[in-house]
Amino acid sequence: MFLRIKGRHAAICLVVAFAAFLVVLGGVFHAGRAYGDEAAGSGGSSSLDVTYSLNRVKSSSEAASATDASSSDASVSDASTSDTGASNAQASDAATAKARTVALVTDVSTLGTDDAAVEDGGTSFSSITFGGTDAAKVQVRYKRGSADWTDWAAGDADQSAATDNVSCVQLKLDSEAAEKYSIVYRVHVADAGWLGWTADGETAGSEKDGAVVDDVEVVLVAKENSEALTSFLDAQMTKAHIEADGLADGDSKADSSAGKADASASPAARVNAVALTSTTSQVQASVSYRAHVQYIGWQASVSDGATAGTTGRSLRVEALSMSLSGVSGGIRYRSHVQNVGWQDWKSDGQVSGTTGRSLRVEAVQIELTGDVASSYDVYYRTHVQGKGWGAWVKNGATSGTTGQGLRVEAVQVLLVKHGQAIPTGDGTDYTKRATTTYTSPTILYQSHVQGVSWQTEVSNGATAGTTGRSLRLEALKVAIAGVSGGVQYKAHVQNVGWQAWQLDGAVAGTVGSGLRLEAIQVQLTGDVASSYDVYYRVHVSGIGWMAWAKDGETAGTVGLGGRVEAVQMVLVKKGSAAPSSSDQKVSYPSVEKPTVTYATSSHNGDWQAPVSNGATSGTTGKSLTVDRFRAQLSTATSLGSIKYQVSTDGENWSSAASDGADAGTKDTALKGIRLTLTGAMEKHFDVWYRVHVSYIGWLGWTRNGSDAGTNLSADSIEAVQVLVTTKGSSAPGPTAKSFAYQGQLNGFDIASFQAGINVSKVSGDFVFIKATQGVHYKDQLPSKGYDYAAWANQALASGKLVGFYHYAEGGDPIKEADYFYDAIKAYKGRAVVALDWEQTSNKLFGTGFDVQWCKRFLDRIATLMDARPLIYMSKGVARKYNWSSVAADYPLWVAQYANNKRTGYNSNPWTDSYDFGAWSSPTVFQYSANGRLDGYGADLDLDLFYGSRKAWLALE
């Protein structure tokens, strides 16, 4: 924040402090300024101790009056009288302000725009006195009138001898201080206002004849913000230095007539004319305007689409003033004011609205007068409380609201030459495009990035946004230059969907809502569309650069939840080659979550109407079986398709059909179904499905080519549900028992905890027995009642199927597999084997190497046993890691319990709605640790094997 301290008769002394410094892409930084008590500098930067005050020059009559008054005062000593008489040249009561060192700026809309009246306006100064312990670190020199620049002097040097008016000043820091700080400053010219900011030895002031420099503002900025400071200074709309010929630094002196004021005008008027002159080498028609804002007062003039007022601060505009330059004619305007209504028209610099009454402007109307109206339209728009920026209107139409009690918070005004494109977006952006010469057709675009705000505008294939930083694009602006025509574009936004088309620089997407862009579409309009194609592509999270889209096609993803992180656009002459795509990660420009549509034909019946996205096709409760099935996706086949197979016995499968073709034979009931996706669809989505089987009901959900149905001779499919979800999403519902096998097997598993059990007397189809742990332990101590080999022999003798498992300790996987094999090799070809992956006593569990370790163990034991081993884990662990390399070869034995209640065998145990990670479904399900079975009087782990004895034996 800035603070100005004013003396009753003395020089205006300023305290300038930046409350915050925010670097946004494009190098813009913001500052807030207010009157009041000084605020401490931002944390993180130590402050230089520098104060300063202006030594004002008084006129001879003012000095004489002061001398007479002092002489007639009996209480004043002779010495005082003498002192007073000696002060004719300088004021004696200059106040002192402290320059603060700060690191952040929070509001660019008010930095350097305070145009409040100067208390001693029109009174020049002869020097600046610097104080504080670091005053000597400040270096200063002056230009006074036509004299040469003074030599550099330390800030604490005696300058009392100086009496001439200062017209220009340069400030810098000594070499030590300059390593850490920049000194930033500007001057005020009487009747013209504040000039622009400059820094570190550059010139601030006016050498124009008659100009009175009467105020200075100073701030110290930490060097870690040098990039933002440079960008801010470059973006100043008003130059810091006006030369004697009327041109600001950097203007062309060959066209110096552009800066000349009417010779008959007063010196103050001539200076003001210079301040309003365009900084280009050619006079252009321009509209300048300023706003009187709540708590701020009059801001500095802005022009040609820039914002007067504030946004995002809930401050009312209370008055406006406008004028034209560079064109013959005038401008008139009026305001609708709170409790007043429409005021009379004002014109050419007069004040419309009120000051000092705290009344809001609610609406405005603006018109051109005289010659200018025959060549130009005046466009304007207002930022209204609770509504934001309204649409552009022109030539006397109302912008704002009446009768709603809403304040205008900001305004933008533009002169648009007849036949020129109509403004649609930000006024400053429009002016830039309208006044910049483009030698070839150019597409310009700008992105609003998470945590960064608006980046600098780029063009013709450059990247807008970021890559490798996981930051979402939130909004986008696009425009065409250098060619007749325009551009329209729209965005697909998180939680919103497709927005309406935006035109020529307007904002597509959202700002301030924290919502990601997910896809875009771009089209050319007008003449350019007949000669050029617009190509564009996006960088998407989890994918990278996608292929180029063109002329209204979708670029990005819809329904995947992927964020657009960057975008590139380019214009290509029709018939020319498309842009390079060597770095694209996929061969398609967009992916959209497809709608899956499917239908069934009932046995002895006709095809039902197609349904989609999880709806039921077929019947339930009518004993009508399904004999045929077909399905298709809503997406183009170039991105992939849906394939499906059917079975009439649950064991033998038809060849795959796809994309709406029929699978099955009329009047032959279906018992099984499989569905898969191909191409890009397979990469980004899962296809889930389940069936309703006669005499059983709905089975569990499964996905991506796994079997759904039954091989029970008396049962057939009666209904089907199909759903496509984003890859890795949760299952639509329970996933246990997606296929009802003939003779589904019940069993239990045991270890030393069940010492003394006689497995031949416990009911069940199979038993899993712990055999080994690590490389040092065998589950075998006959004297204590447990012996894995003896238990296996009991089971086999009683007709039970046998499985052995090894409890992993996370050592060398090959050594543990070899140890397991040595213990059970006598049962090779007679037992299923499994790896138990749990946390207790397992030093590698949860380290991130889980998958690699298990894969090596399983590969080894599979080779040694010539079998297909299972892996045991909880359902949570199955979902925690990417087990796809394991799941490709080895079935899952999963554990999940509904509760701790005692239970017997359960043919359809509970499981939650989440999937099983890389496995579509488990082969064995351990559903209780509190099972009670005939033949054993304590708790047992209960398991369900989804298959027949034949299927079990195939694993041995």
Side-chain angles (χ1 to χ4, degrees):
M1 122 185 359
F2 290 112
L3 172 68
R4 182 172 358 201
I5 300 176
K6 302 181 180 181
R8 179 176 174 81
H9 303 293
I12 295 177
C13 299
L14 308 167
V15 175
V16 182
F18 282 60
F21 217 122
L22 178 61
V23 180
V24 296
L25 201 60
V28 179
F29 76 88
H30 299 270
R33 181 175 183 198
Y35 296 104
D37 295 335
E38 291 186 72
S42 299
S45 295
S46 59
S47 298
L48 289 178
D49 180 21
V50 176
T51 63
Y52 61 96
S53 60
L54 306 185
N55 300 313
R56 294 220 179 265
V57 177
K58 287 191 174 181
S59 66
S60 299
S61 59
E62 289 176 313
S65 297
T67 303
D68 292 343
S70 298
S71 299
S72 62
D73 189 344
S75 65
V76 178
S77 65
D78 291 342
S80 299
T81 303
S82 175
D83 290 342
T84 305
S87 66
N88 290 352
Q90 294 184 351
S92 62
D93 59 346
T96 300
K98 182 175 178 62
R100 293 296 182 92
T101 304
V102 295
L104 297 171
V105 174
T106 55
D107 190 355
V108 75
S109 65
T110 58
L111 175 61
T113 57
D114 184 358
D115 203 25
V118 175
E119 184 174 305
D120 291 307
T123 303
S124 58
F125 62 92
S126 61
S127 61
I128 307 172
T129 296
F130 289 90
T133 58
D134 294 314
K137 296 181 179 180
V138 179
Q139 303 287 306
V140 59
R141 69 173 183 163
Y142 308 98
K143 184 171 178 58
R144 297 183 174 97
S146 59
D148 293 334
W149 281 93
T150 65
D151 293 332
W152 285 101
D156 59 352
D158 181 12
Q159 303 176 68
S160 61
T163 59
D164 293 334
N165 301 346
V166 170
S167 57
C168 297
V169 64
Q170 294 176 348
L171 301 176
K172 65 180 182 178
L173 299 174
D174 66 17
S175 57
E176 179 182 358
E179 291 181 358
K180 297 182 178 180
Y181 308 102
S182 287
I183 187 166
V184 185
Y185 46 95
R186 66 173 183 164
V187 302
H188 185 275
V189 179
D191 297 322
W194 289 101
L195 302 186
W197 291 89
T198 191
D200 297 332
E202 297 297 321
T203 301
S206 174
E207 300 178 66
K208 183 68 179 176
D209 183 33
V212 178
V213 176
D214 59 4
D215 205 351
V216 178
E217 291 186 346
V218 184
V219 67
L220 298 168
V221 179
K223 270 291 176 70
E224 60 258 30
N225 296 292
S226 59
E227 182 178 348
L229 177 59
T230 299
S231 298
F232 171 71
L233 295 176
D234 289 344
Q236 292 293 294
M237 296 182 65
T238 306
K239 296 295 183 180
H241 178 212
I242 299 175
E243 297 181 355
D245 59 5
L247 294 176
D249 286 345
D251 291 342
S252 170
K253 294 186 179 181
D255 284 331
S256 61
S257 60
K260 293 181 179 178
D262 185 348
S264 63
S266 67
R270 291 200 299 273
V271 173
N272 192 48
V274 170
L276 293 177
T277 299
S278 170
T279 59
T280 65
S281 59
Q282 180 179 359
V283 175
Q284 297 177 351
S286 176
V287 57
S288 298
Y289 44 99
R290 62 178 184 164
H292 188 281
V293 179
Q294 175 186 4
Y295 302 137
I296 295 176
W298 282 109
Q299 294 180 317
S301 292
V302 297
S303 61
D304 303 323
T307 299
T310 65
T311 61
R313 301 180 63 193
S314 301
L315 300 179
R316 63 179 172 265
V317 169
E318 298 176 340
L320 293 165
S321 175
M322 304 180 193
S323 61
L324 300 182
S325 62
V327 68
S328 175
I331 188 169
R332 72 172 193 162
Y333 40 92
R334 65 173 181 164
S335 303
H336 190 280
V337 178
Q338 173 187 0
N339 300 333
V340 176
W342 285 108
Q343 294 182 318
D344 292 336
W345 291 93
K346 303 294 182 181
S347 61
D348 304 318
Q350 295 176 324
V351 173
S352 176
T354 63
T355 60
R357 297 177 63 186
S358 300
L359 299 178
R360 64 180 173 264
V361 170
E362 297 177 339
V364 297
Q365 295 174 343
I366 308 174
E367 292 180 344
L368 299 177
T369 61
D371 293 344
V372 65
S374 64
S375 301
Y376 288 86
D377 295 311
V378 60
Y379 279 85
Y380 45 98
R381 66 173 184 165
T382 52
H383 191 282
V384 175
Q385 169 190 355
K387 295 178 178 291
W389 285 109
W392 289 92
V393 299
K394 69 175 182 176
N395 300 342
T398 298
S399 179
T401 63
T402 60
Q404 298 184 44
L406 300 177
R407 63 180 173 268
V408 168
E409 297 175 340
V411 62
Q412 293 180 342
V413 187
L414 281 168
L415 293 184
V416 176
K417 198 170 181 110
H418 289 170
Q420 199 171 322
I422 297 172
T424 55
D426 181 73
T428 303
D429 291 345
Y430 176 87
T431 299
K432 177 180 177 181
R433 294 191 296 274
T435 58
T436 301
T437 300
Y438 295 90
T439 59
S440 61
T442 301
I443 186 164
L444 306 119
Y445 43 102
Q446 185 179 18
S447 60
H448 189 280
V449 178
Q450 171 191 357
V452 178
S453 192
W454 286 106
Q455 292 184 314
T456 303
E457 184 179 78
V458 297
S459 62
N460 293 347
T463 298
T466 64
T467 61
R469 298 178 61 188
S470 299
L471 300 177
R472 63 179 174 266
L473 251 61
E474 298 178 337
L476 194 66
K477 295 189 285 189
V478 189
I480 296 293
V483 66
S484 176
V487 63
Q488 66 176 12
Y489 45 97
K490 63 179 178 177
H492 190 279
V493 179
Q494 173 188 1
N495 299 334
V496 176
W498 284 108
Q499 295 180 318
W501 289 99
Q502 302 297 324
L503 301 170
D504 304 313
V507 174
T510 63
V511 175
S513 298
L515 301 177
R516 63 179 175 265
L517 291 189
E518 297 178 339
I520 61 171
Q521 295 175 350
V522 186
Q523 287 181 334
L524 300 177
T525 61
D527 293 344
V528 66
S530 63
S531 302
Y532 286 85
D533 295 315
V534 58
Y535 282 84
Y536 44 98
R537 66 173 183 167
V538 294
H539 189 281
V540 176
S541 58
I543 298 177
W545 284 111
M546 303 188 75
W548 290 92
K550 76 170 186 175
D551 298 340
E553 296 173 345
T554 299
T557 65
V558 177
L560 272 74
R563 64 179 172 271
V564 172
E565 298 175 340
V567 61
Q568 296 175 340
M569 300 184 190
V570 65
L571 297 182
V572 175
K573 198 165 185 65
K574 285 189 179 295
S576 299
S580 170
S581 56
S582 59
D583 58 347
Q584 71 186 31
K585 299 301 182 182
V586 294
S587 61
Y588 37 90
S590 65
V591 177
E592 183 170 352
K593 183 179 177 181
T595 296
V596 56
T597 302
Y598 48 98
T600 57
S601 170
S602 296
H603 188 48
N604 296 325
D606 296 325
W607 283 98
Q608 293 190 345
V611 297
S612 60
N613 293 345
T616 299
S617 179
T619 62
T620 60
K622 296 184 178 180
S623 299
L624 295 175
T625 58
V626 168
D627 61 7
R628 286 169 293 171
F629 175 83
R630 59 190 179 202
Q632 63 185 63
L633 300 179
S634 59
T635 53
T637 55
S638 60
L639 293 179
S641 62
I642 187 167
K643 292 186 176 182
Y644 37 95
Q645 296 173 271
V646 295
S647 174
T648 57
D649 60 7
E651 296 183 5
N652 298 293
W653 295 86
S654 68
S655 57
S658 62
D659 302 322
D662 296 353
T665 303
K666 184 174 175 57
D667 299 333
T668 302
L670 299 183
K671 290 182 175 292
I673 188 171
R674 296 170 175 166
L675 289 87
T676 57
L677 301 175
T678 67
M681 296 294 98
E682 181 182 20
K683 179 179 178 66
H684 299 290
F685 302 99
D686 292 319
V687 57
W688 289 91
Y689 44 98
R690 67 171 182 168
V691 297
H692 188 280
V693 174
S694 53
Y695 306 111
I696 297 177
W698 284 109
L699 299 179
W701 288 89
T702 192
R703 62 176 173 167
N704 301 342
S706 295
D707 299 350
T710 182
N711 63 0
L712 298 174
S713 59
D715 299 334
S716 299
I717 294 175
E718 296 180 337
V720 180
Q721 293 176 341
V722 185
L723 185 66
V724 172
T725 64
T726 304
K727 202 76 172 177
S729 297
S730 299
T735 54
K737 195 179 179 181
S738 61
F739 196 94
Y741 289 97
Q742 182 77 33
Q744 188 168 266
L745 306 179
N746 293 307
F748 56 96
D749 57 269
I750 59 174
S752 58
F753 301 108
Q754 284 77 35
I757 190 172
N758 186 338
V759 296
S760 65
K761 294 184 178 181
V762 181
S763 62
D765 300 307
F766 64 89
V767 58
F768 270 107
I769 305 167
K770 179 179 179 180
T772 54
Q773 179 172 329
V775 293
H776 60 83
Y777 175 80
K778 293 180 181 178
D779 212 41
Q780 188 176 45
L781 191 57
S783 62
K784 296 295 184 180
Y786 58 93
D787 183 336
Y788 71 92
W791 283 338
N793 293 334
Q794 287 179 359
L796 291 171
S798 64
K800 288 183 174 64
L801 299 168
V802 171
F804 290 112
Y805 69 89
H806 170 82
Y807 191 98
E809 287 190 345
D812 185 321
I814 303 303
K815 290 182 179 179
E816 291 201 27
D818 289 347
Y819 185 75
F820 183 36
Y821 174 70
D822 285 342
I824 62 168
K825 59 187 177 182
Y827 298 91
K828 183 175 182 179
R830 297 192 294 155
V832 170
V833 294
L835 169 65
D836 185 350
W837 188 254
E838 299 185 52
Q839 182 173 3
T840 304
S841 301
N842 186 343
K843 63 186 178 184
L844 210 64
F845 183 91
T847 63
F849 294 97
D850 305 57
V851 176
Q852 298 94 313
W853 195 99
C854 293
K855 181 68 163 59
R856 292 186 65 196
F857 179 98
L858 292 166
D859 286 347
R860 178 66 171 175
I861 197 65
T863 299
L864 293 174
M865 290 292 288
D866 192 22
R868 191 181 179 202
L870 287 72
I871 183 169
Y872 170 93
M873 64 183 71
S874 71
K875 191 173 183 181
V877 173
R879 290 174 51 79
K880 185 175 182 180
Y881 302 109
N882 180 6
W883 292 95
S884 57
S885 62
V886 172
D889 297 310
Y890 305 113
L892 176 66
W893 176 11
V894 75
Q896 187 179 45
Y897 308 151
N899 51 54
N900 293 323
K901 296 180 180 179
R902 291 180 177 175
T903 182
Y905 285 130
N906 187 342
S907 63
N908 191 21
W910 172 89
T911 183
D912 61 31
S913 61
Y914 297 107
D915 60 35
F916 294 94
W919 290 272
S920 59
S921 60
T923 297
V924 181
F925 195 151
Q926 184 188 91
Y927 55 88
S928 177
N930 300 98
R932 289 300 178 100
L933 301 175
D934 293 341
Y936 187 65
D939 289 340
L940 288 168
D941 294 340
L942 300 186
D943 303 278
L944 182 65
F945 178 75
Y946 295 109
S948 62
R949 290 182 67 89
K950 180 180 178 181
W952 177 284
L953 294 173
L955 297 173
E956 292 183 346

